[in-house]
Amino acid sequence: MMRRDSLYINGEWVEANGDGVIEVVNPATEETIGSVPVGSQSDVDAAITAARDAFPAWSSSSIEERMEVLNKLSAAIKESTEELAQTITAEVGTPIGYSRMAMVGTPRVVARSYAKMLESFEWEEEVRNSLIIKEPIGVCAFITPWNFPLHQIVGKVAPALAAGCTMILKPSKEAPLNAFMLADLLDEIGLPSGVFNLVSGHGSEVGEYMSSHPDVDMVSFTGSTGAGVRVSQAAAPTVKRVTLELGGKSANVALDDADPQLVGKMAIGACYQNSGQTCSALTRLIIPKSMNDEVCEVIASRIARYTAGDPLDDSTRCGPMVSERQQTSVTEYIQSGIDEGAKLVVGGIGMPDGLETGFFVKPTVFAEVTPDMTIWQEEIFGPVLVIATYESEEEALALANDSIYGLSGGVWSADEERAMAFARGMRTGQVSINGGPFNISAPFGGYKMSGNGRELGLHGLEEFLEIKSIQRPVE
Ligand code: NAD
Protein backbone atom coordinates (compact mmCIF):
# COMPACT_ATOMS: atom_id res chain seq x y z
CA MET A 1 0.00 0.00 0.00
CA MET A 2 1.48 3.31 -1.07
CA ARG A 3 -0.19 6.06 0.94
CA ARG A 4 1.27 9.48 0.14
CA ASP A 5 -0.05 12.08 2.55
CA SER A 6 1.74 15.27 1.52
CA LEU A 7 2.45 17.53 -1.42
CA TYR A 8 5.89 18.57 -2.69
CA ILE A 9 6.13 22.36 -2.48
CA ASN A 10 9.28 24.48 -2.31
CA GLY A 11 11.53 21.46 -1.82
CA GLU A 12 9.57 20.05 1.13
CA TRP A 13 6.82 17.54 1.72
CA VAL A 14 3.93 19.53 3.22
CA GLU A 15 0.41 18.78 4.37
CA ALA A 16 -2.37 19.30 1.78
CA ASN A 17 -5.26 21.63 2.55
CA GLY A 18 -7.96 19.90 0.45
CA ASP A 19 -10.60 17.51 1.74
CA GLY A 20 -10.11 13.75 1.63
CA VAL A 21 -7.82 11.60 -0.45
CA ILE A 22 -7.75 10.19 -3.96
CA GLU A 23 -7.77 6.39 -3.84
CA VAL A 24 -5.67 4.59 -6.45
CA VAL A 25 -7.14 1.30 -7.67
CA ASN A 26 -5.28 -1.52 -9.42
CA PRO A 27 -7.44 -2.15 -12.51
CA ALA A 28 -6.36 -5.79 -12.80
CA THR A 29 -7.28 -6.75 -9.23
CA GLU A 30 -9.83 -3.99 -8.44
CA GLU A 31 -8.01 -3.49 -5.11
CA THR A 32 -6.99 -0.16 -3.65
CA ILE A 33 -3.21 0.08 -3.78
CA GLY A 34 -2.61 3.55 -2.41
CA SER A 35 -3.80 7.12 -2.16
CA VAL A 36 -2.65 10.69 -2.67
CA PRO A 37 -3.90 13.90 -1.05
CA VAL A 38 -6.44 16.28 -2.52
CA GLY A 39 -4.78 19.64 -3.04
CA SER A 40 -6.66 22.92 -2.73
CA GLN A 41 -6.40 26.35 -4.32
CA SER A 42 -4.25 27.52 -1.39
CA ASP A 43 -1.84 24.64 -2.09
CA VAL A 44 -1.68 25.75 -5.73
CA ASP A 45 -1.00 29.33 -4.61
CA ALA A 46 1.87 28.13 -2.39
CA ALA A 47 3.34 26.01 -5.19
CA ILE A 48 3.13 28.86 -7.71
CA THR A 49 4.74 31.28 -5.26
CA ALA A 50 7.57 28.78 -4.73
CA ALA A 51 8.02 28.37 -8.49
CA ARG A 52 7.94 32.16 -9.04
CA ASP A 53 10.52 32.71 -6.27
CA ALA A 54 12.78 30.00 -7.70
CA PHE A 55 12.58 31.38 -11.25
CA PRO A 56 15.25 34.13 -11.12
CA ALA A 57 17.97 31.73 -9.93
CA TRP A 58 16.99 28.72 -12.09
CA SER A 59 16.47 30.80 -15.24
CA SER A 60 20.00 32.15 -14.86
CA SER A 61 21.57 28.79 -13.91
CA SER A 62 24.41 27.64 -16.12
CA ILE A 63 23.83 25.24 -18.99
CA GLU A 64 26.24 22.83 -17.27
CA GLU A 65 24.08 22.83 -14.13
CA ARG A 66 20.92 22.04 -16.12
CA MET A 67 22.71 19.30 -18.03
CA GLU A 68 23.89 17.78 -14.75
CA VAL A 69 20.36 17.80 -13.34
CA LEU A 70 18.93 16.17 -16.48
CA ASN A 71 21.64 13.50 -16.60
CA LYS A 72 21.16 12.79 -12.90
CA LEU A 73 17.40 12.54 -13.42
CA SER A 74 17.90 10.06 -16.26
CA ALA A 75 20.27 7.99 -14.10
CA ALA A 76 17.85 8.10 -11.16
CA ILE A 77 14.97 6.89 -13.35
CA LYS A 78 17.22 4.08 -14.62
CA GLU A 79 18.14 3.11 -11.07
CA SER A 80 14.44 2.97 -10.10
CA THR A 81 13.23 1.23 -13.27
CA GLU A 82 11.78 -1.83 -11.56
CA GLU A 83 10.02 0.09 -8.80
CA LEU A 84 8.58 2.62 -11.24
CA ALA A 85 7.50 -0.08 -13.73
CA GLN A 86 5.81 -2.11 -10.98
CA THR A 87 4.00 1.01 -9.75
CA ILE A 88 2.80 2.04 -13.22
CA THR A 89 1.65 -1.51 -13.94
CA ALA A 90 -0.27 -1.48 -10.66
CA GLU A 91 -1.86 1.92 -11.41
CA VAL A 92 -2.54 1.63 -15.14
CA GLY A 93 -2.63 -2.15 -15.75
CA THR A 94 0.09 -2.00 -18.42
CA PRO A 95 1.79 -5.36 -19.10
CA ILE A 96 5.01 -5.31 -17.10
CA GLY A 97 7.45 -5.73 -20.01
CA TYR A 98 5.92 -2.74 -21.79
CA SER A 99 6.03 -0.77 -18.53
CA ARG A 100 9.76 -1.34 -18.18
CA MET A 101 10.50 -0.56 -21.81
CA ALA A 102 8.06 2.23 -22.74
CA MET A 103 6.63 3.63 -19.51
CA VAL A 104 10.01 3.97 -17.78
CA GLY A 105 12.56 3.48 -20.56
CA THR A 106 11.22 6.31 -22.69
CA PRO A 107 11.28 9.04 -20.00
CA ARG A 108 14.78 7.92 -19.01
CA VAL A 109 15.98 8.49 -22.58
CA VAL A 110 13.98 11.71 -23.01
CA ALA A 111 15.60 13.28 -19.92
CA ARG A 112 19.05 12.39 -21.26
CA SER A 113 18.18 13.67 -24.74
CA TYR A 114 17.57 17.17 -23.36
CA ALA A 115 20.92 17.18 -21.55
CA LYS A 116 22.55 16.26 -24.86
CA MET A 117 20.58 18.92 -26.74
CA LEU A 118 21.88 21.63 -24.43
CA GLU A 119 25.46 20.87 -25.54
CA SER A 120 24.82 22.60 -28.85
CA PHE A 121 21.60 24.58 -28.49
CA GLU A 122 21.85 28.09 -30.00
CA TRP A 123 20.39 30.59 -27.53
CA GLU A 124 21.21 33.67 -29.58
CA GLU A 125 21.40 34.69 -33.22
CA GLU A 126 22.16 37.89 -35.14
CA VAL A 127 19.66 39.04 -37.77
CA ARG A 128 20.80 42.28 -39.50
CA ASN A 129 20.89 44.88 -36.71
CA SER A 130 19.13 42.65 -34.17
CA LEU A 131 20.35 40.31 -31.50
CA ILE A 132 17.71 37.61 -31.01
CA ILE A 133 17.70 35.95 -27.61
CA LYS A 134 15.78 32.91 -26.42
CA GLU A 135 14.72 33.07 -22.76
CA PRO A 136 12.74 30.70 -20.50
CA ILE A 137 9.05 31.52 -20.55
CA GLY A 138 8.68 31.46 -16.75
CA VAL A 139 6.46 29.46 -14.40
CA CYS A 140 4.78 26.51 -16.11
CA ALA A 141 1.73 24.49 -15.03
CA PHE A 142 1.58 20.86 -16.17
CA ILE A 143 -1.61 18.80 -16.24
CA THR A 144 -1.14 15.18 -17.27
CA PRO A 145 -3.19 12.02 -17.94
CA TRP A 146 -2.85 8.42 -16.81
CA ASN A 147 -2.13 6.43 -19.94
CA PHE A 148 1.67 6.96 -20.26
CA PRO A 149 1.89 8.84 -16.98
CA LEU A 150 5.62 9.19 -16.38
CA HIS A 151 6.44 9.73 -20.05
CA GLN A 152 3.85 12.50 -20.29
CA ILE A 153 5.27 14.19 -17.17
CA VAL A 154 8.94 13.91 -18.14
CA GLY A 155 8.07 15.04 -21.70
CA LYS A 156 7.20 18.39 -20.09
CA VAL A 157 9.53 18.51 -17.06
CA ALA A 158 12.75 17.72 -18.96
CA PRO A 159 12.48 20.43 -21.66
CA ALA A 160 11.20 22.92 -19.07
CA LEU A 161 14.25 22.26 -16.87
CA ALA A 162 16.49 22.55 -19.92
CA ALA A 163 14.89 25.87 -20.86
CA GLY A 164 15.34 27.30 -17.34
CA CYS A 165 11.66 27.28 -16.36
CA THR A 166 10.16 26.44 -12.97
CA MET A 167 7.00 24.38 -12.65
CA ILE A 168 4.02 22.93 -10.86
CA LEU A 169 2.59 19.53 -11.81
CA LYS A 170 -0.90 18.12 -11.32
CA PRO A 171 -0.84 14.42 -12.26
CA SER A 172 -3.92 12.35 -13.14
CA LYS A 173 -6.13 10.91 -10.41
CA GLU A 174 -5.91 7.38 -11.84
CA ALA A 175 -2.09 7.12 -11.91
CA PRO A 176 -0.55 9.71 -9.57
CA LEU A 177 1.83 7.48 -7.59
CA ASN A 178 4.61 7.52 -10.19
CA ALA A 179 4.55 11.35 -10.06
CA PHE A 180 5.23 11.22 -6.31
CA MET A 181 8.13 8.86 -6.99
CA LEU A 182 9.46 11.31 -9.57
CA ALA A 183 9.27 14.11 -6.97
CA ASP A 184 11.32 11.88 -4.62
CA LEU A 185 13.93 11.42 -7.34
CA LEU A 186 14.12 15.14 -8.15
CA ASP A 187 14.54 15.84 -4.45
CA GLU A 188 17.26 13.20 -4.11
CA ILE A 189 19.29 14.54 -7.03
CA GLY A 190 19.31 17.97 -5.37
CA LEU A 191 17.11 20.02 -7.71
CA PRO A 192 16.95 23.50 -6.11
CA SER A 193 13.83 24.11 -3.98
CA GLY A 194 10.81 25.50 -5.79
CA VAL A 195 11.95 24.56 -9.32
CA PHE A 196 9.57 21.56 -9.37
CA ASN A 197 6.37 21.42 -7.27
CA LEU A 198 3.70 18.72 -7.11
CA VAL A 199 0.05 19.26 -6.21
CA SER A 200 -2.32 16.32 -6.71
CA GLY A 201 -6.06 16.90 -6.85
CA HIS A 202 -9.16 17.17 -9.00
CA GLY A 203 -8.84 18.47 -12.55
CA SER A 204 -11.88 20.70 -12.36
CA GLU A 205 -10.52 22.40 -9.23
CA VAL A 206 -6.73 22.27 -9.09
CA GLY A 207 -6.28 21.97 -12.88
CA GLU A 208 -8.57 24.83 -13.83
CA TYR A 209 -7.25 27.05 -11.05
CA MET A 210 -3.66 26.50 -12.21
CA SER A 211 -4.71 27.27 -15.79
CA SER A 212 -6.39 30.54 -14.82
CA HIS A 213 -3.66 31.70 -12.40
CA PRO A 214 -2.15 35.10 -13.31
CA ASP A 215 1.29 34.05 -12.01
CA VAL A 216 1.52 31.09 -14.39
CA ASP A 217 3.13 31.96 -17.74
CA MET A 218 2.35 28.75 -19.60
CA VAL A 219 0.10 25.71 -19.28
CA SER A 220 1.07 22.45 -20.92
CA PHE A 221 -1.83 20.04 -20.91
CA THR A 222 -2.12 16.43 -22.06
CA GLY A 223 -5.49 14.72 -21.90
CA SER A 224 -8.90 14.64 -23.49
CA THR A 225 -10.01 17.26 -25.98
CA GLY A 226 -12.92 18.31 -23.73
CA ALA A 227 -10.68 19.07 -20.75
CA GLY A 228 -8.16 20.76 -23.07
CA VAL A 229 -10.87 23.15 -24.24
CA ARG A 230 -11.71 24.01 -20.62
CA VAL A 231 -8.03 24.60 -19.83
CA SER A 232 -7.81 26.97 -22.83
CA GLN A 233 -10.91 28.85 -21.69
CA ALA A 234 -9.60 29.17 -18.13
CA ALA A 235 -6.22 30.37 -19.44
CA ALA A 236 -7.56 32.87 -22.00
CA PRO A 237 -8.14 35.92 -19.76
CA THR A 238 -4.47 35.94 -18.72
CA VAL A 239 -3.23 35.40 -22.32
CA LYS A 240 -0.73 32.77 -21.21
CA ARG A 241 0.78 30.29 -23.64
CA VAL A 242 -1.23 27.05 -23.80
CA THR A 243 0.03 23.87 -25.40
CA LEU A 244 -2.34 20.96 -25.75
CA GLU A 245 -1.70 17.29 -26.48
CA LEU A 246 -5.16 15.82 -26.96
CA GLY A 247 -7.01 12.87 -28.39
CA GLY A 248 -6.69 11.03 -31.68
CA LYS A 249 -8.37 8.66 -34.11
CA SER A 250 -5.44 7.92 -36.34
CA ALA A 251 -5.57 6.24 -39.73
CA ASN A 252 -3.40 3.34 -40.86
CA VAL A 253 -3.58 3.12 -44.65
CA ALA A 254 -2.53 0.22 -46.86
CA LEU A 255 -1.90 1.27 -50.48
CA ASP A 256 -2.80 -1.31 -53.14
CA ASP A 257 0.79 -2.57 -53.53
CA ALA A 258 1.20 -3.30 -49.78
CA ASP A 259 1.60 -6.86 -48.48
CA PRO A 260 -1.79 -7.82 -46.92
CA GLN A 261 -0.16 -10.35 -44.57
CA LEU A 262 2.19 -7.73 -43.16
CA VAL A 263 -0.55 -5.08 -42.99
CA GLY A 264 -2.86 -7.40 -41.03
CA LYS A 265 -0.10 -8.51 -38.69
CA MET A 266 1.22 -5.01 -37.92
CA ALA A 267 -2.20 -3.35 -37.65
CA ILE A 268 -2.96 -5.22 -34.43
CA GLY A 269 0.05 -3.98 -32.47
CA ALA A 270 -0.27 -0.44 -33.88
CA CYS A 271 -3.80 -0.24 -32.49
CA TYR A 272 -3.47 -2.27 -29.30
CA GLN A 273 -0.30 -0.87 -27.68
CA ASN A 274 -0.95 -0.17 -24.00
CA SER A 275 -4.23 -2.10 -24.44
CA GLY A 276 -5.44 0.51 -26.94
CA GLN A 277 -5.15 3.31 -24.38
CA THR A 278 -2.74 5.30 -26.51
CA CYS A 279 -3.56 8.70 -27.99
CA SER A 280 -1.50 8.03 -31.11
CA ALA A 281 -2.81 4.46 -31.63
CA LEU A 282 -3.62 3.65 -35.26
CA THR A 283 -7.26 2.78 -34.67
CA ARG A 284 -8.73 3.16 -38.17
CA LEU A 285 -7.38 0.66 -40.70
CA ILE A 286 -8.06 1.74 -44.29
CA ILE A 287 -7.43 -0.92 -46.95
CA PRO A 288 -8.24 -1.57 -50.63
CA LYS A 289 -11.55 -3.41 -51.01
CA SER A 290 -9.75 -6.29 -52.74
CA MET A 291 -7.56 -6.79 -49.64
CA ASN A 292 -10.40 -6.94 -47.13
CA ASP A 293 -10.90 -10.71 -46.82
CA GLU A 294 -7.22 -11.54 -46.53
CA VAL A 295 -6.45 -8.78 -43.99
CA CYS A 296 -9.46 -9.75 -41.85
CA GLU A 297 -8.38 -13.39 -41.95
CA VAL A 298 -4.83 -12.52 -40.85
CA ILE A 299 -6.15 -10.38 -38.01
CA ALA A 300 -8.69 -12.98 -36.87
CA SER A 301 -6.04 -15.71 -36.85
CA ARG A 302 -3.46 -13.66 -34.96
CA ILE A 303 -5.67 -11.99 -32.38
CA ALA A 304 -5.53 -15.02 -30.08
CA ARG A 305 -1.86 -14.16 -29.49
CA TYR A 306 -3.04 -10.92 -27.99
CA THR A 307 -3.57 -12.59 -24.62
CA ALA A 308 -5.54 -10.61 -22.07
CA GLY A 309 -4.75 -11.23 -18.43
CA ASP A 310 -2.59 -10.45 -15.43
CA PRO A 311 -0.28 -7.59 -16.44
CA LEU A 312 2.44 -9.02 -14.19
CA ASP A 313 2.51 -12.20 -16.26
CA ASP A 314 5.18 -11.85 -18.95
CA SER A 315 2.97 -13.57 -21.53
CA THR A 316 0.15 -11.01 -21.20
CA ARG A 317 -0.14 -8.67 -24.17
CA CYS A 318 -3.36 -6.88 -23.23
CA GLY A 319 -4.01 -5.53 -19.75
CA PRO A 320 -7.24 -4.18 -18.29
CA MET A 321 -8.74 -0.77 -18.99
CA VAL A 322 -7.50 1.75 -16.42
CA SER A 323 -10.83 2.04 -14.58
CA GLU A 324 -14.35 0.68 -14.42
CA ARG A 325 -15.51 3.90 -16.10
CA GLN A 326 -13.14 3.28 -19.00
CA GLN A 327 -14.26 -0.37 -19.23
CA THR A 328 -17.89 0.76 -19.43
CA SER A 329 -17.12 3.41 -22.03
CA VAL A 330 -15.20 0.98 -24.30
CA THR A 331 -17.97 -1.62 -23.91
CA GLU A 332 -20.56 0.97 -24.96
CA TYR A 333 -18.53 1.75 -28.07
CA ILE A 334 -18.34 -1.96 -28.95
CA GLN A 335 -22.12 -2.18 -28.51
CA SER A 336 -22.62 0.88 -30.74
CA GLY A 337 -20.51 -0.77 -33.47
CA ILE A 338 -22.77 -3.84 -33.32
CA ASP A 339 -25.95 -1.71 -33.23
CA GLU A 340 -24.88 0.52 -36.13
CA GLY A 341 -24.22 -2.50 -38.36
CA ALA A 342 -20.44 -2.92 -38.47
CA LYS A 343 -19.23 -6.51 -38.98
CA LEU A 344 -17.69 -8.00 -35.84
CA VAL A 345 -14.53 -9.85 -36.92
CA VAL A 346 -13.36 -10.83 -33.42
CA GLY A 347 -14.08 -9.83 -29.81
CA GLY A 348 -17.35 -8.26 -28.72
CA ILE A 349 -19.11 -7.60 -25.45
CA GLY A 350 -17.95 -9.10 -22.14
CA MET A 351 -14.78 -10.16 -20.37
CA PRO A 352 -12.09 -12.13 -22.21
CA ASP A 353 -12.37 -15.90 -21.63
CA GLY A 354 -11.13 -17.07 -18.24
CA LEU A 355 -11.17 -13.67 -16.57
CA GLU A 356 -13.63 -12.63 -13.86
CA THR A 357 -11.85 -9.83 -12.02
CA GLY A 358 -10.42 -6.62 -13.43
CA PHE A 359 -11.66 -3.95 -15.83
CA PHE A 360 -10.97 -5.99 -18.95
CA VAL A 361 -12.61 -5.87 -22.37
CA LYS A 362 -12.21 -8.26 -25.28
CA PRO A 363 -9.71 -7.17 -27.95
CA THR A 364 -12.16 -6.35 -30.74
CA VAL A 365 -12.05 -5.76 -34.49
CA PHE A 366 -14.85 -4.44 -36.69
CA ALA A 367 -14.86 -4.57 -40.52
CA GLU A 368 -17.22 -2.88 -43.01
CA VAL A 369 -17.13 0.28 -40.94
CA THR A 370 -18.48 3.42 -42.64
CA PRO A 371 -17.77 7.08 -41.83
CA ASP A 372 -21.24 7.70 -40.41
CA MET A 373 -20.63 5.20 -37.57
CA THR A 374 -19.74 6.35 -34.06
CA ILE A 375 -16.85 3.86 -33.87
CA TRP A 376 -15.32 5.49 -36.95
CA GLN A 377 -15.58 9.03 -35.62
CA GLU A 378 -14.90 8.92 -31.88
CA GLU A 379 -11.80 8.06 -29.90
CA ILE A 380 -12.55 4.78 -28.08
CA PHE A 381 -9.32 4.49 -26.07
CA GLY A 382 -9.40 0.72 -25.83
CA PRO A 383 -8.41 -2.33 -27.92
CA VAL A 384 -10.93 -1.73 -30.71
CA LEU A 385 -9.74 -1.64 -34.33
CA VAL A 386 -12.13 -0.47 -37.06
CA ILE A 387 -11.59 -1.34 -40.74
CA ALA A 388 -12.94 0.51 -43.78
CA THR A 389 -12.26 -0.16 -47.46
CA TYR A 390 -11.64 2.06 -50.48
CA GLU A 391 -11.57 1.81 -54.28
CA SER A 392 -9.21 4.66 -55.25
CA GLU A 393 -6.18 6.24 -53.58
CA GLU A 394 -8.02 9.56 -53.58
CA GLU A 395 -10.79 7.96 -51.56
CA ALA A 396 -8.21 6.45 -49.20
CA LEU A 397 -6.77 9.90 -48.46
CA ALA A 398 -10.23 11.38 -47.96
CA LEU A 399 -11.04 8.60 -45.48
CA ALA A 400 -7.71 9.06 -43.66
CA ASN A 401 -8.39 12.78 -43.27
CA ASP A 402 -12.03 12.25 -42.33
CA SER A 403 -11.55 13.02 -38.63
CA ILE A 404 -11.75 15.95 -36.27
CA TYR A 405 -8.37 14.70 -35.00
CA GLY A 406 -4.91 14.66 -36.58
CA LEU A 407 -2.37 13.17 -34.19
CA SER A 408 -0.74 10.22 -35.92
CA GLY A 409 -1.00 7.91 -38.92
CA GLY A 410 0.53 5.07 -40.87
CA VAL A 411 1.04 4.18 -44.53
CA TRP A 412 2.02 0.82 -46.07
CA SER A 413 3.35 0.42 -49.59
CA ALA A 414 5.93 -1.65 -51.48
CA ASP A 415 7.22 1.68 -52.77
CA GLU A 416 8.56 3.96 -50.03
CA GLU A 417 8.38 7.07 -52.23
CA ARG A 418 4.71 6.38 -52.91
CA ALA A 419 4.07 5.99 -49.18
CA MET A 420 5.96 9.25 -48.56
CA ALA A 421 3.80 11.11 -51.08
CA PHE A 422 0.65 9.77 -49.41
CA ALA A 423 2.00 10.69 -45.94
CA ARG A 424 2.47 14.30 -47.10
CA GLY A 425 -1.24 14.45 -47.89
CA MET A 426 -2.29 13.34 -44.41
CA ARG A 427 -3.44 16.17 -42.10
CA THR A 428 -1.71 14.79 -39.02
CA GLY A 429 1.31 15.51 -36.82
CA GLN A 430 3.09 12.15 -37.19
CA VAL A 431 3.12 9.45 -39.85
CA SER A 432 4.89 6.09 -39.76
CA ILE A 433 5.82 4.64 -43.14
CA ASN A 434 5.99 0.83 -43.38
CA GLY A 435 6.20 0.54 -39.60
CA GLY A 436 8.86 3.24 -39.04
CA PRO A 437 9.37 3.35 -35.23
CA PHE A 438 8.61 6.16 -32.78
CA ASN A 439 11.47 8.65 -32.51
CA ILE A 440 11.91 10.53 -29.22
CA SER A 441 13.85 13.29 -30.98
CA ALA A 442 11.08 14.06 -33.49
CA PRO A 443 8.33 16.56 -32.60
CA PHE A 444 5.12 14.95 -31.35
CA GLY A 445 1.76 16.73 -31.46
CA GLY A 446 -1.47 17.22 -33.27
CA TYR A 447 -3.21 18.95 -36.15
CA LYS A 448 -6.87 19.95 -35.83
CA MET A 449 -8.54 18.97 -32.53
CA SER A 450 -5.55 16.83 -31.47
CA GLY A 451 -3.89 19.91 -30.04
CA ASN A 452 -1.53 22.87 -30.28
CA GLY A 453 2.22 22.86 -30.00
CA ARG A 454 4.77 20.06 -30.03
CA GLU A 455 6.55 17.94 -27.44
CA LEU A 456 9.92 16.13 -27.61
CA GLY A 457 13.03 17.04 -29.55
CA LEU A 458 14.14 20.55 -30.36
CA HIS A 459 10.59 21.74 -31.08
CA GLY A 460 9.56 20.54 -27.62
CA LEU A 461 12.29 22.67 -26.03
CA GLU A 462 11.34 25.74 -28.03
CA GLU A 463 7.78 25.64 -26.65
CA PHE A 464 9.26 26.70 -23.29
CA LEU A 465 11.12 29.72 -24.65
CA GLU A 466 10.22 33.36 -25.24
CA ILE A 467 12.00 35.22 -28.02
CA LYS A 468 13.39 38.72 -27.58
CA SER A 469 14.79 40.94 -30.37
CA ILE A 470 17.24 43.67 -29.36
CA GLN A 471 17.94 46.24 -32.08
CA ARG A 472 21.32 47.97 -32.30
CA PRO A 473 21.63 51.38 -33.94
CA VAL A 474 22.37 51.17 -37.67
CA GLU A 475 25.38 53.19 -38.78
P1 NAD B 1 -8.64 13.79 -18.95
O1 NAD B 1 -8.80 14.95 -19.87
O2 NAD B 1 -9.80 13.29 -18.24
O3 NAD B 1 -7.57 14.16 -17.83
C1 NAD B 1 -6.27 14.64 -18.13
C2 NAD B 1 -5.82 15.55 -17.01
O4 NAD B 1 -6.64 16.71 -17.02
C3 NAD B 1 -5.98 14.94 -15.62
O5 NAD B 1 -4.90 15.34 -14.81
C4 NAD B 1 -7.28 15.56 -15.12
O6 NAD B 1 -7.37 15.61 -13.73
C5 NAD B 1 -7.19 16.95 -15.73
N1 NAD B 1 -8.45 17.64 -15.92
C6 NAD B 1 -9.68 17.11 -16.11
N2 NAD B 1 -10.59 18.10 -16.24
C7 NAD B 1 -9.92 19.27 -16.14
C8 NAD B 1 -10.30 20.63 -16.21
N3 NAD B 1 -11.56 21.00 -16.39
N4 NAD B 1 -9.34 21.57 -16.08
C9 NAD B 1 -8.06 21.23 -15.91
N5 NAD B 1 -7.64 19.96 -15.82
C10 NAD B 1 -8.56 18.98 -15.95
O7 NAD B 1 -7.92 12.67 -19.83
P2 NAD B 1 -7.51 11.20 -19.36
O8 NAD B 1 -8.74 10.36 -19.32
O9 NAD B 1 -6.63 11.24 -18.16
O10 NAD B 1 -6.57 10.76 -20.58
C11 NAD B 1 -7.07 10.25 -21.75
C12 NAD B 1 -7.12 11.28 -22.86
O11 NAD B 1 -5.87 11.91 -23.03
C13 NAD B 1 -7.44 10.69 -24.20
O12 NAD B 1 -8.37 11.51 -24.88
C14 NAD B 1 -6.13 10.70 -24.92
O13 NAD B 1 -6.22 10.68 -26.31
C15 NAD B 1 -5.50 11.91 -24.40
N6 NAD B 1 -4.04 11.83 -24.52
C16 NAD B 1 -3.39 12.60 -25.44
C17 NAD B 1 -2.02 12.50 -25.58
C18 NAD B 1 -1.26 13.33 -26.58
O14 NAD B 1 -0.06 13.46 -26.43
N7 NAD B 1 -1.89 13.88 -27.57
C19 NAD B 1 -1.30 11.63 -24.79
C20 NAD B 1 -1.99 10.86 -23.87
C21 NAD B 1 -3.36 10.98 -23.74
Side-chain angles (χ1 to χ4, degrees):
M1 192 64 77
M2 205 191 273
R3 295 225 177 263
R4 303 295 301 236
D5 55 8
S6 40
L7 305 174
Y8 188 68
I9 297 176
N10 204 20
E12 289 181 1
W13 288 100
V14 299
E15 204 175 312
N17 288 311
D19 290 332
V21 296
I22 293 167
E23 301 278 355
V24 184
V25 174
N26 180 326
T29 63
E30 302 183 28
E31 285 164 5
T32 299
I33 53 163
S35 62
V36 299
V38 175
S40 68
Q41 293 191 354
S42 65
D43 295 318
V44 173
D45 286 335
I48 291 172
T49 301
R52 175 95 11 241
D53 290 349
F55 183 68
W58 185 249
S59 60
S60 50
S61 60
S62 69
I63 295 306
E64 290 69 30
E65 186 178 351
R66 294 183 210 169
M67 285 168 62
E68 192 185 337
V69 160
L70 288 161
N71 280 325
K72 279 185 176 169
L73 174 61
S74 177
I77 292 173
K78 185 176 183 188
E79 191 77 7
S80 308
T81 295
E82 193 54 29
E83 213 182 332
L84 284 163
Q86 293 283 343
T87 301
I88 293 171
T89 288
E91 294 180 288
V92 182
T94 309
I96 187 67
Y98 194 69
S99 269
R100 291 187 188 112
M101 190 255 305
M103 297 285 178
V104 184
T106 309
R108 170 177 59 79
V109 182
V110 166
R112 202 179 55 199
S113 77
Y114 279 106
K116 182 86 188 140
M117 198 180 295
L118 286 180
E119 282 176 11
S120 55
F121 187 71
E122 300 285 348
W123 294 87
E124 298 186 356
E125 61 178 313
E126 301 272 355
V127 177
R128 297 177 56 202
N129 67 315
S130 300
L131 175 67
I132 298 172
I133 304 178
K134 293 176 183 164
E135 297 180 337
I137 190 165
V139 173
C140 302
F142 298 150
I143 304 173
T144 55
W146 46 264
N147 59 330
F148 285 77
L150 190 63
H151 167 60
Q152 284 142 346
I153 292 170
V154 173
K156 300 178 193 302
V157 168
L161 288 172
C165 294
T166 58
M167 63 211 78
I168 159 172
L169 165 69
K170 192 210 85 64
S172 79
K173 288 197 291 184
E174 290 82 0
L177 296 171
N178 62 87
F180 281 73
M181 294 168 72
L182 178 72
D184 287 336
L185 297 182
L186 288 166
D187 190 76
E188 278 162 33
I189 66 170
L191 184 69
S193 299
V195 173
F196 171 89
N197 303 275
L198 172 68
V199 176
S200 47
H202 301 293
S204 53
E205 287 168 35
V206 168
E208 280 198 36
Y209 186 64
M210 282 162 62
S211 308
S212 66
H213 206 289
D215 275 339
V216 168
D217 299 292
M218 170 176 172
V219 187
S220 175
F221 172 88
T222 302
S224 61
T225 297
V229 169
R230 285 195 292 283
V231 164
S232 303
Q233 287 167 335
T238 48
V239 199
K240 53 175 61 80
R241 187 176 298 171
V242 178
T243 60
L244 303 171
E245 296 289 344
L246 308 175
K249 188 75 183 176
S250 299
N252 194 7
V253 182
L255 301 183
D256 59 12
D257 60 351
D259 171 2
Q261 295 286 326
L262 189 61
V263 167
K265 181 179 151 198
M266 301 303 279
I268 305 172
C271 177
Y272 288 180
Q273 52 177 308
N274 198 27
S275 316
Q277 302 172 119
T278 302
C279 51
S280 55
L282 305 184
T283 51
R284 294 183 297 139
L285 181 61
I286 298 169
I287 53 178
K289 200 167 191 176
S290 57
M291 225 183 251
N292 190 55
D293 291 350
E294 188 173 352
V295 169
C296 286
E297 262 171 46
V298 175
I299 290 177
S301 69
R302 295 187 74 99
I303 208 96
R305 300 180 192 195
Y306 215 82
T307 342
D310 178 1
L312 288 172
D313 183 336
D314 281 330
S315 66
T316 296
R317 302 279 305 280
C318 191
M321 302 295 89
V322 75
S323 61
E324 191 170 10
R325 192 175 62 122
Q326 192 66 18
Q327 180 194 36
T328 305
S329 163
V330 175
T331 302
E332 285 171 2
Y333 276 116
I334 296 173
Q335 188 62 54
S336 90
I338 295 168
D339 294 345
E340 291 179 17
K343 183 179 170 195
L344 192 60
V345 179
V346 282
I349 300 293
M351 295 278 274
D353 293 344
L355 291 174
E356 282 166 12
T357 308
F359 307 130
F360 289 89
V361 298
K362 284 187 185 148
T364 295
V365 180
F366 284 105
E368 297 173 24
V369 176
T370 51
D372 55 317
M373 292 181 189
T374 310
I375 54 169
W376 173 265
Q377 292 162 1
E378 295 186 14
E379 182 182 52
I380 298 175
F381 229 56
V384 182
L385 177 65
V386 306
I387 307 175
T389 59
Y390 69 85
E391 309 247 18
S392 69
E393 202 170 304
E394 209 176 26
E395 194 191 343
L397 186 59
L399 281 169
N401 288 334
D402 176 36
S403 175
I404 58 168
Y405 297 114
L407 189 56
S408 190
V411 188
W412 293 88
S413 170
D415 175 352
E416 201 173 297
E417 287 312 308
R418 205 179 149 202
M420 186 65 81
F422 192 92
R424 286 178 190 272
M426 292 172 82
R427 301 284 303 158
T428 187
Q430 292 236 327
V431 188
S432 156
I433 289 176
N434 290 335
F438 182 67
N439 173 3
I440 60 124
S441 299
F444 180 89
Y447 283 30
K448 303 193 264 183
M449 287 183 80
S450 288
N452 294 317
R454 294 293 179 268
E455 291 194 328
L456 303 179
L458 192 58
H459 300 80
L461 175 60
E462 288 183 337
E463 295 287 351
F464 292 95
L465 298 170
E466 281 286 16
I467 299 174
K468 180 184 288 175
S469 301
I470 304 174
Q471 278 66 245
R472 303 178 209 275
V474 182
E475 278 153 30

